[in-house]
Amino acid sequence: MKQKKRQAKSNISDAVSRSLPWPLLFGAKYLQVNFLETLLGTLLALTAQIAFIASFLLPLKIVMLMASNGTPRFLRLLPISMEKDQLIIMLATFSIAAYIFYQFANKIIDKVTTRGAAKLESRNRKLVLFEGQHDLIRKSYRNYVEIAGNICFCLLAALPLFFLYPEVFYVVLAVLLTTTLVIITLWISIPSNREAILSTMPATLNTSSTAGFFFIFATIILDYAFFTLPNSILTILLSMILGRQILNQAQQAANKFLFLNRNRQRLTALLFHNQALSNPAPKNHQIYQFLQPEHEVQVQLKKFLRELDDTMDNREGLKWIDSGLNNIFFFTTRSKITNASFLVKVFNKNKTQEARHEETLLRSTPSELPSPPLIETTVISGFHVHVLDITGLNFTQPAPEYEKSFRLSLAEVKVPPSLWSSYRRSKKLIWDRINEDTLKHLKLALPDQDAVAQFENNLPLIRKTVKLLPIKISLPKNQQNFLVGNSNQNQVVCAHWGKWCIEPIGHGWNKVLGLSAENDKSVEAIGLAINLFKIENSLEKQCFNNALSLMSDTNELLKKTTDLSIVQE
């Protein structure tokens, strides 16, 4: 019988949960678990805002009293006798007390919400679902309490504002309603750009709040010029402050609501028994619009390709290629008449820096670079698009022989002086990145190691030696997308250069490869460079024992490095 009652109660609770909007559902949960804490936090948030306004309004009144002659009219109406100087001291005391109360109330709110968050988390007995979930519950609970305080303040402040200065009240109301209607209209009419609307919402709300204050000021100026102002300057000043604070509090409430909305899925899983955390929705998924046949961005892309070559086969369309690169799409297309083939690369908006970095290289380097020629670039709705000529090339897996062939051909490319000049003004090279500060964590993990001390002593000589090596363009291994020529299998090129760098020869190598006669003279120096890059990689991954072993090898290799004849290009 008890089990049936419990099940019926659970069914009713589920039905209520499904019918309530999520903001009210969160509020109901907070009140259910932390009734007193929620009410206390809301009351403190409201009174703290009132105290904050008073702490800045009272000094203005004090200045007005100090500048006035005689006793103010409102002071003569009080049943108590008080001199102006005494009133100034009393108002100053109240101002300081109000600000102290504001700070004290915020501390109490923080303690109340921290305690309430812990109670919420322990009540549901959930596993640790993600990093920082306790801080998320605490911050969301505080935001919800402060939203309630913001709304209460707006309602309470609107009443005296209406009686003090109705015109200002109507202006504030019009600004709030107009902003709300514009946001709702955009949200409904442009469903494809809702993420962009959410991302620009804080700036939009801030602009609306600031513009609202100037509308209030303009209303007062118009009343002064054409109509009738209130008799008291204090009434005008108080109306301006109340109007500005109502707009400010509404803006704060909206921004906190946006924070709750961004974390709604995780909060729902944390706060409710019958909810579990699903896989997070993929971020930056707008790039998938390029896969929708009728979408505007794909239409623009095909139009751009037709302008480049009007013989492209639009009937077959774009053929998908697995690039292995996140948020970068690879497509191939071909001409209907000629044998020309093209690689179309679409970079997501969070890959803009990578797209521009690749374009810088492909527009600056000579034809010897093992890369398909860059034909053209464009930007479609914020997505960078690169088109490369891959005629006679096919994608292939990065086999060891292709890796060696690619590294050797890349080692023969001369770095353009202008590109090298720009690069060294922008980034540090390996001889600057490996220093005493880089090694401090290794020395904490593996103290009193002779190899580390010897390596530090050898660093000046190692730097001097590595600086004598030729400077070359290089790529990380995980960024290689190889293409091989159809007729000449020795032609190996790379299709993606988003993370190219300029380093001494040896970057990305596992061992010294067969080079020209000029480079063969510096085998030991290249080995030093290879070790430096491996040490840097080991330190980044916190593989300190591996780094220590590499340092020992580097110390031994340095002894063999003599009679270097290569001069930096």
Side-chain angles (χ1 to χ4, degrees):
M1 188 67 180
K2 288 183 179 180
Q3 185 176 0
K4 289 183 178 180
K5 287 183 179 180
R6 193 180 298 111
Q7 185 176 1
K9 184 178 179 180
S10 177
N11 292 337
I12 294 173
S13 177
D14 292 344
V16 172
S17 299
R18 286 191 297 269
S19 62
L20 281 177
W22 70 264
L24 296 179
L25 188 61
F26 281 9
K29 184 68 174 181
Y30 294 143
L31 286 171
Q32 177 190 0
V33 179
N34 299 312
F35 182 79
L36 293 178
E37 290 90 340
T38 304
L39 291 183
L40 177 60
T42 302
L43 181 62
L44 285 172
L46 173 61
T47 53
Q49 289 303 320
I50 295 174
F52 183 75
I53 295 174
S55 66
F56 285 92
L57 179 61
L58 289 176
L60 295 176
K61 183 58 181 173
I62 292 172
V63 173
M64 293 170 62
L65 282 173
M66 294 170 64
S68 64
N69 295 321
T71 306
R73 183 178 61 180
F74 76 92
L75 189 58
R76 294 195 297 267
L77 299 176
L78 294 176
I80 58 174
S81 60
M82 184 180 295
E83 297 295 333
K84 187 174 72 171
D85 293 343
Q86 294 176 334
L87 178 62
I88 289 174
I89 294 173
M90 183 187 73
L91 292 179
T93 304
F94 282 161
S95 176
I96 297 172
Y99 187 75
I100 292 174
F101 175 79
Y102 168 75
Q103 297 292 343
F104 179 73
N106 278 319
K107 296 291 184 182
I108 298 298
I109 292 172
D110 190 58
K111 290 185 177 182
V112 167
T113 52
T114 300
R115 178 182 174 184
K119 190 174 178 181
L120 281 165
E121 196 170 12
S122 62
R123 181 184 177 90
N124 286 335
R125 298 189 300 275
K126 297 266 182 131
L127 297 175
V128 178
L129 302 180
F130 50 84
E131 191 71 30
Q133 71 177 36
H134 176 74
D135 290 335
L136 176 62
I137 295 178
R138 180 185 58 79
K139 189 173 181 180
S140 64
Y141 183 37
R142 173 157 187 163
N143 280 352
Y144 205 96
V145 166
E146 289 180 344
I147 287 173
N150 295 142
I151 294 173
C152 291
F153 178 87
C154 291
L155 296 175
L156 291 177
L159 186 62
L161 179 61
F162 177 76
F163 289 104
L164 286 171
Y165 206 145
E167 290 82 359
V168 172
F169 170 80
Y170 291 132
V171 169
V172 172
L173 186 62
V175 170
L176 293 176
L177 291 177
T178 301
T179 304
T180 304
L181 288 175
V182 167
I183 292 173
I184 292 175
T185 302
L186 291 175
W187 186 265
I188 295 174
S189 61
I190 317 177
S192 60
N193 285 337
R194 286 180 175 175
E195 284 191 3
I197 294 173
L198 287 175
S199 64
T200 58
M201 192 82 73
T204 303
L205 294 172
N206 182 61
T207 302
S208 174
S209 177
T210 304
F213 176 73
F214 284 105
F215 289 145
I216 293 171
F217 183 70
T219 301
I220 295 173
I221 296 299
L222 290 174
D223 278 350
Y224 173 77
F226 301 103
F227 303 103
T228 304
L229 282 173
N231 294 327
S232 173
I233 189 66
L234 183 61
T235 299
I236 298 173
L237 183 61
L238 185 59
S239 299
M240 290 182 64
I241 292 174
L242 285 176
R244 181 70 181 95
Q245 286 301 317
I246 289 173
L247 294 173
N248 186 50
Q249 294 293 311
Q251 177 194 350
Q252 290 183 25
N255 285 329
K256 291 165 187 171
F257 183 82
L258 287 174
F259 171 81
L260 294 176
N261 182 66
R262 285 195 299 269
N263 296 280
R264 180 177 59 177
Q265 184 180 4
R266 296 196 293 177
L267 288 172
T268 302
L270 288 171
L271 297 178
F272 299 98
H273 292 291
N274 57 347
Q275 297 291 332
L277 184 65
S278 58
N279 293 327
K283 296 181 180 179
N284 304 305
H285 60 270
Q286 288 184 337
I287 191 173
Y288 287 93
Q289 297 168 354
F290 284 90
L291 301 181
Q292 302 175 19
E294 304 301 326
H295 200 280
E296 180 184 359
V297 294
Q298 189 176 124
V299 173
Q300 292 182 31
L301 177 59
K302 289 184 176 180
K303 181 181 178 181
F304 167 69
L305 295 176
R306 283 197 302 270
E307 292 174 354
L308 289 179
D309 188 340
D310 56 5
T311 67
M312 286 189 184
D313 190 356
N314 292 322
R315 180 178 56 82
E316 181 181 345
L318 300 171
K319 181 181 178 182
W320 174 269
I321 297 293
D322 289 338
S323 68
L325 301 172
N326 191 26
N327 290 317
I328 301 175
F329 285 177
F330 278 29
F331 303 101
T332 58
T333 185
R334 63 178 58 252
S335 171
K336 293 184 293 185
I337 300 175
T338 66
N339 292 325
S341 298
F342 304 94
L343 173 64
V344 182
K345 299 166 63 178
V346 180
F347 294 79
N348 207 347
K349 293 179 181 179
N350 65 331
K351 295 290 184 178
T352 297
Q353 185 272 341
E354 197 165 329
R356 295 179 64 184
H357 193 58
E358 177 182 86
E359 184 180 359
T360 299
L361 175 71
L362 298 184
R363 290 195 183 280
S364 303
T365 51
S367 58
E368 291 83 5
L369 186 75
S371 169
L374 178 66
I375 299 176
E376 190 56 84
T377 64
T378 189
V379 179
I380 299 176
S381 298
F383 299 91
H384 284 253
V385 178
H386 294 180
V387 181
L388 294 86
D389 185 358
I390 57 170
T391 304
L393 298 170
N394 287 327
F395 279 94
T396 183
Q397 295 295 324
E401 59 269 20
Y402 297 148
E403 163 76 15
K404 181 178 179 180
S405 176
F406 172 75
R407 292 290 178 189
L408 289 175
S409 60
L410 192 57
E412 299 297 328
V413 179
K414 294 184 178 181
V415 181
S418 59
L419 185 65
W420 167 231
S421 177
S422 298
Y423 189 90
R424 65 182 173 183
R425 285 199 301 265
S426 308
K427 296 178 180 292
K428 290 183 176 181
L429 273 76
I430 186 64
W431 53 69
D432 294 320
R433 297 197 301 268
I434 299 292
N435 50 46
E436 289 77 6
D437 187 62
T438 311
L439 304 175
K440 63 183 181 181
H441 294 152
L442 180 145
K443 290 189 288 187
L444 288 174
L446 303 172
D448 303 325
Q449 293 290 335
D450 294 336
V452 179
Q454 186 180 357
F455 179 80
E456 282 190 294
N457 293 332
N458 290 335
L459 265 178
L461 181 57
I462 293 173
R463 292 192 186 108
K464 183 178 180 180
T465 304
V466 173
K467 282 183 179 182
L468 295 173
L469 291 171
I471 295 298
K472 298 296 180 181
I473 297 167
S474 185
L475 268 181
K477 286 188 176 181
N478 59 355
Q479 292 290 309
Q480 294 170 7
N481 293 90
F482 288 141
L483 295 100
V484 177
N486 291 332
S487 57
N488 182 9
Q489 295 300 319
N490 293 325
Q491 182 188 7
V492 180
V493 299
C494 183
H496 185 66
W497 296 83
K499 293 187 177 181
W500 64 271
C501 58
I502 296 179
E503 296 285 359
I505 191 169
H507 178 260
W509 295 13
N510 286 323
K511 59 182 180 179
V512 180
L513 304 175
L515 299 170
S516 63
E518 179 188 12
N519 288 331
D520 279 338
K521 298 176 183 178
S522 59
V523 171
E524 289 83 3
I526 295 175
L528 283 177
I530 293 173
N531 276 8
L532 279 185
F533 291 118
K534 288 181 178 180
I535 289 171
E536 181 184 42
N537 186 53
S538 296
L539 292 175
E540 288 176 353
K541 295 180 179 179
Q542 299 172 0
C543 297
F544 295 137
N545 286 303
N546 188 51
L548 180 64
S549 176
L550 288 166
M551 288 178 186
S552 298
D553 293 342
T554 303
N555 294 331
E556 294 298 322
L557 187 60
L558 184 63
K559 298 176 182 178
K560 304 176 184 178
T561 307
T562 57
D563 192 26
L564 293 179
S565 58
I566 289 185
V567 179
Q568 183 179 352
E569 296 180 2

